[in-house]
Amino acid sequence: MSEYRLMSWNVNGIRAVAKKEIDAKGTTFEQFLRDKGPDIVCIQETKAHARDLPKHLTHVSGFFSYFAQATRKGYSGVALYTRKEPLSVQTSLGIAEFDEEGRTIIAEYDEFVLCTAYFPNGGASEERLAYKLRYYDAFLEYVTKRAKAGEKVVICGDVNTAHMERDLSRPVENAHKSGFLTIERAWIDQLIEAGFIDTLRLFTQDPGYYTWWDYKTHARERNVGWRLDYFFVYKTLQDAVRSASILTEITGSDHCPVTLDLLF
């Protein structure tokens, strides 16, 4: 029998979060990973090249670590810390326009394939929205192909879209903003129609579960937020899901972590 606890977190800069206390007890990011961290930790928006990071962030005791970085410094980037060494790891989708932004890591384990991603933000311009939608389509094609081949696929990351009205505080006011556009939300519908399950919704249908809050308006204190961070599993993995949660007590970023517990 195998148990895994997975965590996904957009840290909004790995060097910045590493300098902060991330909970009320004064825990540091490194302490959390080493002493309290799950078996697999997926990090988005590292904003760093691995070669430029201090060793205590690239070689955390007890973990294997992998990084995908953008060509442009200080931008995008994802990382994977894992207590169990994967069978294989790839840091790309094999599509240059996405790989140059360092958005994807795929890790194979005996029991499942983990696809973690920092999905693009489409709010800056029409061009970036179009880029986001192209990444969405390429990612969906990739994970669907692997799932249909019989692999047990886990997806996590900052999807940068709230799926339903219950997934953000002010759906009416944000209906025409990237992150809650009909075309973006429809992609999550497509993902679910392809057989992927939003794991949090296996346990609750209630509103008010958010993972991102605007820094500028101090929205976190009022829980005026958006649920942008997810764990999805392919339907063949549903029976392995034991719990899914949002760790609102963990600070240090404008996002908080989300978790998934699997038992095989």
Side-chain angles (χ1 to χ4, degrees), residues 204-230:
T204 179
Q205 299 299 318
D206 292 339
Y209 288 87
Y210 308 131
T211 67
W212 176 84
W213 303 264
D214 181 44
Y215 268 149
K216 295 177 183 177
T217 59
H218 303 284
R220 191 163 187 163
E221 291 87 335
R222 296 173 288 120
N223 199 30
V224 178
W226 300 53
R227 188 165 75 102
L228 301 178
D229 305 85
Y230 301 79

Side-chain angles (χ1 to χ4, degrees), residues 24 26 31 43 56 134 160-161 181 192 196 213 216 220:
Q31 288 171 335
I43 299 294
H56 69 89
R134 291 197 303 275
N160 254 317
T161 294
L181 296 175
I192 291 170
F196 290 91
W213 303 264
K216 295 177 183 177
R220 191 163 187 163

Side-chain angles (χ1 to χ4, degrees), residues 81-263:
Y81 296 96
T82 173
R83 296 186 190 275
K84 181 177 180 180
E85 186 175 13
L87 301 174
S88 69
V89 176
Q90 66 184 71
T91 56
S92 75
L93 281 178
I95 301 172
E97 69 166 327
F98 306 132
D99 297 345
E100 68 184 11
E101 293 198 358
R103 294 190 172 274
T104 317
I105 294 178
I106 298 118
E108 294 188 26
Y109 296 87
D110 289 322
E111 298 88 351
F112 58 90
V113 176
L114 174 64
C115 301
T116 181
Y118 175 37
F119 294 78
N121 187 315
S125 64
E126 289 296 322
E127 289 77 15
R128 288 305 292 179
L129 177 59
Y131 178 89
K132 177 181 184 177
L133 297 176
R134 291 197 303 275
Y135 183 91
Y136 271 178
D137 289 343
F139 187 89
L140 179 59
E141 181 180 359
Y142 180 86
V143 295
T144 301
K145 182 178 180 179
R146 296 201 70 157
K148 287 184 175 179
E151 296 183 272
K152 295 180 177 180
V153 179
V154 178
I155 298 167
C156 71
D158 175 6
V159 176
N160 254 317
T161 294
H163 183 207
M164 303 179 74
E165 289 191 353
R166 63 188 174 187
D167 293 316
L168 72 166
S169 297
R170 296 173 177 169
V172 175
E173 295 90 329
N174 290 290
H176 302 293
K177 294 182 180 178
S178 181
F180 197 57
L181 296 175
T182 299
I183 194 168
E184 296 168 316
R185 297 167 62 197
W187 180 82
I188 300 181
D189 291 334
Q190 292 173 34
L191 185 66
I192 291 170
E193 288 165 6
F196 290 91
I197 298 165
D198 179 350
T199 56
L200 181 72
R201 293 308 179 193
L202 290 173
F203 300 96
T204 179
Q205 299 299 318
D206 292 339
Y209 288 87
Y210 308 131
T211 67
W212 176 84
W213 303 264
D214 181 44
Y215 268 149
K216 295 177 183 177
T217 59
H218 303 284
R220 191 163 187 163
E221 291 87 335
R222 296 173 288 120
N223 199 30
V224 178
W226 300 53
R227 188 165 75 102
L228 301 178
D229 305 85
Y230 301 79
F231 269 101
F232 293 94
V233 298
Y234 194 59
K235 57 189 177 183
T236 54
L237 268 173
Q238 181 171 345
D239 289 345
V241 176
R242 289 294 173 264
S243 69
S245 63
I246 297 175
L247 304 184
T248 55
E249 71 276 13
I250 301 299
T251 58
S253 170
D254 51 354
H255 292 251
C256 75
V258 295
T259 70
L260 175 68
D261 291 308
L262 298 173
L263 177 65

